[in-house]
Amino acid sequence: MHLEANDVKPAINRLKRAQGQLAAVVRMLEEGGDCKAAVTQLAAASKAVDRAGFSIIATGLELCLAQEDSAADRAELEKLFMSLA
């Protein structure tokens, strides 16, 4: 199953935000920044990545159900969903 970029735009935005947060964490650690701030940013990045993953899978499930894809496609999406849980 292939997803169009437009279908996963919110996930792309979340991943870009997480990318910026990770860059900030690296910069903080390299510059000897505040540990609490670094961990807070790291937690935010982790949450953004998780949400992006769930969003991508949800979009895939919607498309899968709308297109009546095979049971194998649905099983694969379920497996991907469980890998994020």
Side-chain angles (χ1 to χ4, degrees):
M1 170 185 318
H2 296 282
L3 300 174
E4 297 294 325
N6 214 25
D7 293 334
V8 291
K9 184 95 171 133
I12 292 169
N13 291 337
R14 280 193 178 108
L15 291 170
K16 287 181 179 180
R17 188 176 320 122
Q19 189 175 32
Q21 290 166 324
L22 286 174
V25 169
V26 170
R27 191 171 46 256
M28 282 183 223
L29 295 175
E30 288 176 341
E31 296 172 356
D34 181 56
C35 177
K36 184 177 177 182
V39 171
T40 299
Q41 285 295 316
L42 192 57
S46 177
K47 190 171 187 177
V49 169
D50 287 345
R51 286 184 179 211
F54 286 124
S55 175
I56 291 167
I57 290 172
T59 301
L61 284 172
E62 287 175 8
L63 293 174
C64 185
L65 293 173
Q67 297 171 357
E68 297 184 25
D69 285 342
S70 71
D73 287 339
R74 291 180 189 176
E76 185 176 343
L77 285 169
E78 180 181 350
K79 183 178 176 183
L80 290 171
F81 177 81
M82 296 307 290
S83 73
L84 291 174

